[in-house]
PDB file of all heavy atoms in Angstrom:
ATOM      1  N   VAL A1395     -94.009-136.332-112.356  1.00 98.00           N
ATOM      2  CA  VAL A1395     -94.226-135.866-110.983  1.00 98.00           C
ATOM      3  C   VAL A1395     -92.975-135.943-110.113  1.00 98.00           C
ATOM      4  O   VAL A1395     -93.016-135.572-108.938  1.00 98.00           O
ATOM      5  CB  VAL A1395     -95.371-136.651-110.299  1.00 98.00           C
ATOM      6  CG1 VAL A1395     -96.707-136.384-111.005  1.00 98.00           C
ATOM      7  CG2 VAL A1395     -95.063-138.140-110.241  1.00 98.00           C
ATOM      8  N   GLY A1396     -91.886-136.409-110.661  1.00 97.00           N
ATOM      9  CA  GLY A1396     -90.676-136.496-109.855  1.00 97.00           C
ATOM     10  C   GLY A1396     -89.563-137.195-110.602  1.00 97.00           C
ATOM     11  O   GLY A1396     -89.679-137.444-111.812  1.00 97.00           O
ATOM     12  N   SER A1397     -88.499-137.489-109.878  1.00 98.00           N
ATOM     13  CA  SER A1397     -87.373-138.191-110.494  1.00 98.00           C
ATOM     14  C   SER A1397     -86.649-139.017-109.438  1.00 98.00           C
ATOM     15  O   SER A1397     -86.831-138.813-108.234  1.00 98.00           O
ATOM     16  CB  SER A1397     -86.416-137.200-111.150  1.00 98.00           C
ATOM     17  OG  SER A1397     -85.866-136.360-110.157  1.00 98.00           O
ATOM     18  N   VAL A1398     -85.841-139.927-109.897  1.00 98.00           N
ATOM     19  CA  VAL A1398     -85.162-140.875-109.027  1.00 98.00           C
ATOM     20  C   VAL A1398     -83.683-140.888-109.400  1.00 98.00           C
ATOM     21  O   VAL A1398     -83.344-140.832-110.583  1.00 98.00           O
ATOM     22  CB  VAL A1398     -85.798-142.274-109.226  1.00 98.00           C
ATOM     23  CG1 VAL A1398     -84.895-143.362-108.734  1.00 98.00           C
ATOM     24  CG2 VAL A1398     -87.157-142.347-108.559  1.00 98.00           C
ATOM     25  N   VAL A1399     -82.817-140.962-108.398  1.00 98.00           N
ATOM     26  CA  VAL A1399     -81.378-141.040-108.646  1.00 98.00           C
ATOM     27  C   VAL A1399     -80.851-142.355-108.079  1.00 98.00           C
ATOM     28  O   VAL A1399     -81.178-142.727-106.954  1.00 98.00           O
ATOM     29  CB  VAL A1399     -80.637-139.863-107.978  1.00 98.00           C
ATOM     30  CG1 VAL A1399     -79.124-139.998-108.151  1.00 98.00           C
ATOM     31  CG2 VAL A1399     -81.112-138.538-108.560  1.00 98.00           C
ATOM     32  N   ALA A1400     -80.052-143.044-108.883  1.00 97.00           N
ATOM     33  CA  ALA A1400     -79.420-144.289-108.430  1.00 97.00           C
ATOM     34  C   ALA A1400     -77.942-144.195-108.780  1.00 97.00           C
ATOM     35  O   ALA A1400     -77.554-144.299-109.937  1.00 97.00           O
ATOM     36  CB  ALA A1400     -80.055-145.487-109.134  1.00 97.00           C
ATOM     37  N   THR A1401     -77.124-143.959-107.760  1.00 96.00           N
ATOM     38  CA  THR A1401     -75.688-143.819-108.004  1.00 96.00           C
ATOM     39  C   THR A1401     -75.082-145.170-108.384  1.00 96.00           C
ATOM     40  O   THR A1401     -74.301-145.269-109.329  1.00 96.00           O
ATOM     41  CB  THR A1401     -74.993-143.268-106.745  1.00 96.00           C
ATOM     42  OG1 THR A1401     -75.659-142.053-106.389  1.00 96.00           O
ATOM     43  CG2 THR A1401     -73.528-142.969-107.000  1.00 96.00           C
ATOM     44  N   ARG A1402     -75.480-146.196-107.625  1.00 97.00           N
ATOM     45  CA  ARG A1402     -74.998-147.553-107.918  1.00 97.00           C
ATOM     46  C   ARG A1402     -75.992-148.162-108.901  1.00 97.00           C
ATOM     47  O   ARG A1402     -77.162-148.353-108.563  1.00 97.00           O
ATOM     48  CB  ARG A1402     -74.983-148.351-106.610  1.00 97.00           C
ATOM     49  CG  ARG A1402     -73.957-149.466-106.591  1.00 97.00           C
ATOM     50  CD  ARG A1402     -73.625-149.859-105.158  1.00 97.00           C
ATOM     51  NE  ARG A1402     -74.258-151.091-104.755  1.00 97.00           N
ATOM     52  CZ  ARG A1402     -74.679-151.364-103.518  1.00 97.00           C
ATOM     53  NH1 ARG A1402     -74.575-150.451-102.549  1.00 97.00           N
ATOM     54  NH2 ARG A1402     -75.220-152.525-103.229  1.00 97.00           N
ATOM     55  N   LYS A1403     -75.565-148.435-110.131  1.00 98.00           N
ATOM     56  CA  LYS A1403     -76.503-148.952-111.124  1.00 98.00           C
ATOM     57  C   LYS A1403     -75.787-149.707-112.242  1.00 98.00           C
ATOM     58  O   LYS A1403     -74.558-149.646-112.359  1.00 98.00           O
ATOM     59  CB  LYS A1403     -77.334-147.814-111.721  1.00 98.00           C
ATOM     60  CG  LYS A1403     -76.546-146.716-112.400  1.00 98.00           C
ATOM     61  CD  LYS A1403     -77.501-145.664-112.956  1.00 98.00           C
ATOM     62  CE  LYS A1403     -76.739-144.461-113.474  1.00 98.00           C
ATOM     63  NZ  LYS A1403     -76.266-143.574-112.416  1.00 98.00           N
ATOM     64  N   ASN A1404     -76.538-150.425-113.031  1.00 98.00           N
ATOM     65  CA  ASN A1404     -76.052-151.083-114.240  1.00 98.00           C
ATOM     66  C   ASN A1404     -75.336-150.019-115.066  1.00 98.00           C
ATOM     67  O   ASN A1404     -75.867-148.922-115.271  1.00 98.00           O
ATOM     68  CB  ASN A1404     -77.279-151.632-114.984  1.00 98.00           C
ATOM     69  CG  ASN A1404     -76.935-152.337-116.273  1.00 98.00           C
ATOM     70  OD1 ASN A1404     -76.388-151.723-117.182  1.00 98.00           O
ATOM     71  ND2 ASN A1404     -77.254-153.613-116.369  1.00 98.00           N
ATOM     72  N   GLU A1405     -74.128-150.335-115.569  1.00 98.00           N
ATOM     73  CA  GLU A1405     -73.324-149.284-116.225  1.00 98.00           C
ATOM     74  C   GLU A1405     -73.944-148.748-117.520  1.00 98.00           C
ATOM     75  O   GLU A1405     -73.617-147.634-117.946  1.00 98.00           O
ATOM     76  CB  GLU A1405     -71.900-149.795-116.487  1.00 98.00           C
ATOM     77  CG  GLU A1405     -71.825-150.963-117.435  1.00 98.00           C
ATOM     78  CD  GLU A1405     -70.378-151.412-117.670  1.00 98.00           C
ATOM     79  OE1 GLU A1405     -69.473-150.935-116.956  1.00 98.00           O
ATOM     80  OE2 GLU A1405     -70.166-152.242-118.563  1.00 98.00           O
ATOM     81  N   ARG A1406     -74.854-149.506-118.100  1.00 98.00           N
ATOM     82  CA  ARG A1406     -75.495-149.016-119.329  1.00 98.00           C
ATOM     83  C   ARG A1406     -76.563-147.960-119.043  1.00 98.00           C
ATOM     84  O   ARG A1406     -77.163-147.404-119.953  1.00 98.00           O
ATOM     85  CB  ARG A1406     -76.128-150.196-120.083  1.00 98.00           C
ATOM     86  CG  ARG A1406     -75.062-151.175-120.579  1.00 98.00           C
ATOM     87  CD  ARG A1406     -75.676-152.424-121.122  1.00 98.00           C
ATOM     88  NE  ARG A1406     -74.657-153.399-121.457  1.00 98.00           N
ATOM     89  CZ  ARG A1406     -74.903-154.678-121.709  1.00 98.00           C
ATOM     90  NH1 ARG A1406     -76.149-155.122-121.682  1.00 98.00           N
ATOM     91  NH2 ARG A1406     -73.931-155.496-122.004  1.00 98.00           N
ATOM     92  N   LEU A1407     -76.793-147.722-117.762  1.00 98.00           N
ATOM     93  CA  LEU A1407     -77.768-146.698-117.376  1.00 98.00           C
ATOM     94  C   LEU A1407     -77.093-145.385-117.021  1.00 98.00           C
ATOM     95  O   LEU A1407     -77.765-144.399-116.708  1.00 98.00           O
ATOM     96  CB  LEU A1407     -78.591-147.195-116.181  1.00 98.00           C
ATOM     97  CG  LEU A1407     -79.494-148.402-116.456  1.00 98.00           C
ATOM     98  CD1 LEU A1407     -80.150-148.871-115.169  1.00 98.00           C
ATOM     99  CD2 LEU A1407     -80.554-148.060-117.494  1.00 98.00           C
ATOM    100  N   ILE A1408     -75.754-145.343-117.104  1.00 98.00           N
ATOM    101  CA  ILE A1408     -75.043-144.104-116.759  1.00 98.00           C
ATOM    102  C   ILE A1408     -75.479-142.992-117.708  1.00 98.00           C
ATOM    103  O   ILE A1408     -75.527-143.165-118.922  1.00 98.00           O
ATOM    104  CB  ILE A1408     -73.514-144.323-116.790  1.00 98.00           C
ATOM    105  CG1 ILE A1408     -73.122-145.289-115.663  1.00 98.00           C
ATOM    106  CG2 ILE A1408     -72.750-142.998-116.661  1.00 98.00           C
ATOM    107  CD1 ILE A1408     -71.670-145.737-115.677  1.00 98.00           C
ATOM    108  N   GLY A1409     -75.866-141.878-117.119  1.00 96.00           N
ATOM    109  CA  GLY A1409     -76.324-140.745-117.915  1.00 96.00           C
ATOM    110  C   GLY A1409     -77.830-140.706-118.122  1.00 96.00           C
ATOM    111  O   GLY A1409     -78.369-139.688-118.544  1.00 96.00           O
ATOM    112  N   ALA A1410     -78.517-141.789-117.820  1.00 97.00           N
ATOM    113  CA  ALA A1410     -79.977-141.809-118.001  1.00 97.00           C
ATOM    114  C   ALA A1410     -80.664-141.002-116.907  1.00 97.00           C
ATOM    115  O   ALA A1410     -80.229-141.004-115.756  1.00 97.00           O
ATOM    116  CB  ALA A1410     -80.491-143.253-117.985  1.00 97.00           C
ATOM    117  N   LYS A1411     -81.740-140.286-117.289  1.00 98.00           N
ATOM    118  CA  LYS A1411     -82.548-139.546-116.317  1.00 98.00           C
ATOM    119  C   LYS A1411     -83.821-140.342-116.069  1.00 98.00           C
ATOM    120  O   LYS A1411     -84.593-140.577-117.000  1.00 98.00           O
ATOM    121  CB  LYS A1411     -82.930-138.165-116.864  1.00 98.00           C
ATOM    122  CG  LYS A1411     -81.897-137.074-116.624  1.00 98.00           C
ATOM    123  CD  LYS A1411     -82.289-135.776-117.320  1.00 98.00           C
ATOM    124  CE  LYS A1411     -83.653-135.237-116.898  1.00 98.00           C
ATOM    125  NZ  LYS A1411     -84.140-134.179-117.818  1.00 98.00           N
ATOM    126  N   PHE A1412     -84.047-140.762-114.813  1.00 98.00           N
ATOM    127  CA  PHE A1412     -85.210-141.578-114.468  1.00 98.00           C
ATOM    128  C   PHE A1412     -86.328-140.692-113.933  1.00 98.00           C
ATOM    129  O   PHE A1412     -86.200-140.136-112.844  1.00 98.00           O
ATOM    130  CB  PHE A1412     -84.839-142.614-113.406  1.00 98.00           C
ATOM    131  CG  PHE A1412     -83.710-143.494-113.808  1.00 98.00           C
ATOM    132  CD1 PHE A1412     -82.433-143.303-113.300  1.00 98.00           C
ATOM    133  CD2 PHE A1412     -83.903-144.510-114.743  1.00 98.00           C
ATOM    134  CE1 PHE A1412     -81.381-144.107-113.687  1.00 98.00           C
ATOM    135  CE2 PHE A1412     -82.852-145.314-115.133  1.00 98.00           C
ATOM    136  CZ  PHE A1412     -81.581-145.110-114.614  1.00 98.00           C
ATOM    137  N   MET A1413     -87.392-140.563-114.700  1.00 98.00           N
ATOM    138  CA  MET A1413     -88.499-139.704-114.294  1.00 98.00           C
ATOM    139  C   MET A1413     -89.656-140.561-113.764  1.00 98.00           C
ATOM    140  O   MET A1413     -89.896-141.668-114.254  1.00 98.00           O
ATOM    141  CB  MET A1413     -88.995-138.872-115.480  1.00 98.00           C
ATOM    142  CG  MET A1413     -87.889-138.152-116.242  1.00 98.00           C
ATOM    143  SD  MET A1413     -86.836-137.071-115.200  1.00 98.00           S
ATOM    144  CE  MET A1413     -87.890-135.628-115.062  1.00 98.00           C
ATOM    145  N   ILE A1414     -90.358-140.016-112.770  1.00 98.00           N
ATOM    146  CA  ILE A1414     -91.561-140.683-112.251  1.00 98.00           C
ATOM    147  C   ILE A1414     -92.751-140.116-113.018  1.00 98.00           C
ATOM    148  O   ILE A1414     -92.946-138.902-113.050  1.00 98.00           O
ATOM    149  CB  ILE A1414     -91.734-140.413-110.736  1.00 98.00           C
ATOM    150  CG1 ILE A1414     -90.454-140.787-109.965  1.00 98.00           C
ATOM    151  CG2 ILE A1414     -92.941-141.162-110.198  1.00 98.00           C
ATOM    152  CD1 ILE A1414     -90.472-140.342-108.494  1.00 98.00           C
ATOM    153  N   VAL A1415     -93.520-141.000-113.654  1.00 98.00           N
ATOM    154  CA  VAL A1415     -94.671-140.561-114.451  1.00 98.00           C
ATOM    155  C   VAL A1415     -95.956-141.111-113.842  1.00 98.00           C
ATOM    156  O   VAL A1415     -96.075-142.308-113.587  1.00 98.00           O
ATOM    157  CB  VAL A1415     -94.548-141.033-115.920  1.00 98.00           C
ATOM    158  CG1 VAL A1415     -95.781-140.603-116.718  1.00 98.00           C
ATOM    159  CG2 VAL A1415     -93.284-140.472-116.563  1.00 98.00           C
ATOM    160  N   GLU A1416     -96.886-140.215-113.610  1.00 98.00           N
ATOM    161  CA  GLU A1416     -98.224-140.579-113.102  1.00 98.00           C
ATOM    162  C   GLU A1416     -99.181-140.562-114.289  1.00 98.00           C
ATOM    163  O   GLU A1416     -99.460-139.492-114.852  1.00 98.00           O
ATOM    164  CB  GLU A1416     -98.638-139.526-112.067  1.00 98.00           C
ATOM    165  CG  GLU A1416    -100.066-139.576-111.628  1.00 98.00           C
ATOM    166  CD  GLU A1416    -100.213-140.219-110.250  1.00 98.00           C
ATOM    167  OE1 GLU A1416     -99.364-139.981-109.364  1.00 98.00           O
ATOM    168  OE2 GLU A1416    -101.198-140.955-110.084  1.00 98.00           O
ATOM    169  N   PRO A1417     -99.690-141.729-114.711  1.00 98.00           N
ATOM    170  CA  PRO A1417    -100.615-141.750-115.860  1.00 98.00           C
ATOM    171  C   PRO A1417    -101.893-140.944-115.568  1.00 98.00           C
ATOM    172  O   PRO A1417    -102.308-140.842-114.405  1.00 98.00           O
ATOM    173  CB  PRO A1417    -100.937-143.240-116.022  1.00 98.00           C
ATOM    174  CG  PRO A1417     -99.795-143.955-115.367  1.00 98.00           C
ATOM    175  CD  PRO A1417     -99.389-143.070-114.222  1.00 98.00           C
ATOM    176  N   MET A1418    -102.496-140.376-116.621  1.00 97.00           N
ATOM    177  CA  MET A1418    -103.779-139.698-116.471  1.00 97.00           C
ATOM    178  C   MET A1418    -104.774-140.718-115.896  1.00 97.00           C
ATOM    179  O   MET A1418    -104.660-141.917-116.147  1.00 97.00           O
ATOM    180  CB  MET A1418    -104.311-139.213-117.828  1.00 97.00           C
ATOM    181  CG  MET A1418    -103.323-138.405-118.648  1.00 97.00           C
ATOM    182  SD  MET A1418    -102.599-136.990-117.762  1.00 97.00           S
ATOM    183  CE  MET A1418    -103.900-135.777-117.963  1.00 97.00           C
TER     184      MET A1418
END
Side-chain angles (χ1 to χ4, degrees):
Chain A
V1395 295
S1397 63
V1398 161
V1399 176
T1401 305
R1402 207 159 103 213
K1403 59 179 172 283
N1404 180 298
E1405 63 179 10
R1406 295 171 186 166
L1407 294 175
I1408 293 173
K1411 274 174 58 194
F1412 304 103
M1413 310 305 280
I1414 306 171
V1415 178
E1416 169 103 39
M1418 309 307 278

